[in-house]
Amino acid sequence: MTKPTRRAGDSTRAVHAGQRDGESHALVPPIHQTSTFWFRDSAELREFAEGRLERDEYGRYSNPTWRVVEHKLSDLEGAEETVLFSSGMSAATTTFLALLPKGGHIVVTNDCYRRTRQFIQQFLSKLEVEATVIEPANTAALKDALRDDTVFFFTESPTNPYLRVIDLPEAARICHERGTKVIIDGTFATPINHRPLDQGADLVVHSATKYLGGHNDLIAGTVSGGAEEIKPVREACGVLGGILDPHAAYLLLRGMKTLALRMERHNANGLAVARALEGHPKVRRVHYPGLASHPDHAVASQLMKGFAGVVTFEIEGDLEAAIRFTDACRVPYIAPSLGGVDALVEMPVLMSYWDYPPEERQAYGITDSLVRLSCGIEDAEDLIEDLEQALTQV
Ligand SMILES: *Cc1c(COP(=O)(O)O)cnc(C)c1O
């Protein structure tokens, strides 16, 4: 094979990477809907057991349909390996359990997916794991938080819901000096907008439920990184068993073919909507890394190719005003989640944080009039027109 002279573009990779394996000559990779794999005879089984033969054995450990998806995402992320999981939460929790010793220390950021926070508080505490929480952009606090026994620094980038962007090269430099690994939840960016492994991260986690799948029709998760880093994670997945059904793996593969194409539209829609909302008299504040008013705009512009479709904003008014706005939206569905072709709108105070006491919500910066909009791939003019009519209800 001739060596390619330049890196193929993301659209070409999203379509072709990981495919054309020559096994069945099917253009579309088959769904290997099987729980187990048969052996010709005991001699083959022995050859496999002794590590002289590489093949599939049992459906909790590997599946040919998974492999196509894993190779495609590895190619896009610039990773050596990827592991698929049944959900983003399974990907994160399995990774944490795989890497953490009893009593280990981690550093996390305060703006994060609520279930990740809950896992750390409720379950990692049983392993006597200690977590230090810092502000996302505060690399000085990161430096102070690191200890000799700090196993990893884990953060989303961009974070949820305030879309804070980490100065990853700087954070990785600080962590690696102390022998601490860096794990990035890249769900809000995707490898099209941001490739954390190129900028110093050791592992990148995704809720593939969001942009990677992209159609609001599946739940899945992924972890990508170097072969050495991935090995314990893959082994832990085989034990903990949070694996993806082969049919869902196929749906993810199909979604990922249009990832680069979809992200172009999500990026354009996010920016257009953020600009339209900023300065609107009924909107108090817009949080979007593509706006000069965002605290991490400079870092985000340097590290990212686009800022995706999620726009978080505060309605000028109280809870009732924000409810009137949300109920008046006709294009976005009122629903949790993000990153699909259909626009979704949610009020964090009523959804992710409804069961938190008001003081705690406030501590996490979740105000009553906060709205999180995930722009789909609709026409920007239609989204903006709809938001403007809904704002007249405030
Ligand atoms: C949705 C989400 C998760 C959880 O993923 P699931 O696929 O729903 O389990 C984790 N991190 C982020 C940033 C998310 O948006």
Side-chain angles (χ1 to χ4, degrees), residues 37-353:
F37 300 86
W38 63 275
F39 287 78
R40 200 176 55 244
D41 52 25
S42 303
E44 189 182 7
L45 189 54
R46 168 171 288 182
E47 214 185 322
F48 173 76
E50 290 172 353
R52 290 180 284 118
L53 176 70
E54 242 183 85
R55 50 156 285 169
D56 297 298
E57 177 198 9
Y58 182 61
R60 192 168 3 85
Y61 306 131
S62 67
N63 176 291
T65 310
W66 294 356
R67 227 163 7 249
V68 185
V69 188
E70 290 173 357
H71 288 166
K72 194 183 283 296
L73 185 59
S74 292
D75 189 85
L76 287 166
E77 287 285 7
E80 286 175 350
E81 288 202 31
T82 293
V83 189
L84 290 185
F85 290 88
S86 55
S87 68
M89 279 316 295
S90 183
T93 57
T94 303
T95 302
F96 286 15
L97 290 171
L99 301 184
L100 282 169
K102 184 178 175 192
H105 177 247
I106 61 175
V107 180
V108 296
T109 45
N110 59 5
D111 193 30
C112 86
Y113 189 70
R114 66 171 285 206
R115 297 298 183 190
T116 309
R117 179 187 299 131
Q118 185 180 353
F119 176 71
I120 293 166
Q121 290 171 347
Q122 190 179 339
F123 294 92
L124 288 187
S125 58
K126 294 189 199 182
L127 290 173
E128 292 164 28
V129 167
E130 270 187 74
T132 303
V133 182
I134 62 164
E135 289 272 337
N138 196 341
T139 41
L142 172 61
K143 196 166 187 168
D144 289 344
L146 293 179
R147 310 192 319 212
D148 289 339
D149 64 340
T150 309
V151 182
F152 58 75
F153 167 49
F154 173 85
T155 181
E156 295 163 19
S157 188
T159 63
N160 178 32
Y162 285 109
L163 308 168
R164 302 300 304 267
V165 177
I166 310 304
D167 183 350
L168 180 54
E170 177 63 4
R173 194 188 59 76
I174 292 168
C175 288
H176 291 159
E177 253 173 24
R178 296 292 298 270
T180 298
K181 288 190 194 307
V182 177
I183 307 176
I184 298 293
D185 179 336
T187 300
F188 277 55
T190 82
I192 306 305
N193 284 341
H194 187 216
R195 303 209 318 157
L197 299 173
D198 286 354
Q199 296 174 6
D202 299 284
L203 290 170
V204 54
V205 178
H206 284 284
S207 167
T209 312
K210 316 294 169 53
Y211 287 111
L212 297 186
H215 293 73
N216 293 319
D217 59 1
L218 63 90
I219 303 258
T222 65
V223 182
S224 306
E228 192 92 342
E229 273 72 37
I230 286 294
K231 193 165 182 269
V233 178
R234 195 183 292 284
E235 282 172 7
C237 179
V239 175
L240 297 174
I243 56 151
L244 194 60
D245 178 80
H247 195 268
Y250 167 75
L251 287 176
L252 177 54
L253 178 75
R254 183 174 166 129
M256 281 178 62
K257 288 199 182 197
T258 56
L259 178 64
L261 194 60
R262 283 185 285 108
M263 291 314 291
E264 272 180 35
R265 178 62 70 88
H266 286 299
N267 289 344
N269 281 357
L271 192 59
V273 162
R275 284 184 176 149
L277 291 174
E278 189 167 55
H280 191 288
K282 301 282 180 69
V283 177
R284 189 177 299 148
R285 180 142 183 230
V286 182
H287 305 265
Y288 188 74
L291 294 178
S293 58
H294 190 278
D296 306 322
H297 178 63
V299 167
S301 305
Q302 201 189 336
L303 302 184
M304 300 176 71
K305 282 206 271 178
F307 312 104
V310 176
V311 183
T312 305
F313 52 100
E314 287 156 65
I315 298 287
E316 187 64 76
D318 57 7
L319 178 65
E320 289 310 315
I323 288 174
R324 275 199 300 279
F325 163 80
T326 307
D327 286 348
C329 288
R330 296 195 192 108
V331 176
Y333 294 84
I334 300 175
S337 200
L338 61 107
V341 293
D342 324 74
L344 305 179
V345 65
E346 72 153 342
M347 291 179 55
V349 70
L350 294 185
M351 278 185 179
S352 310
Y353 290 88

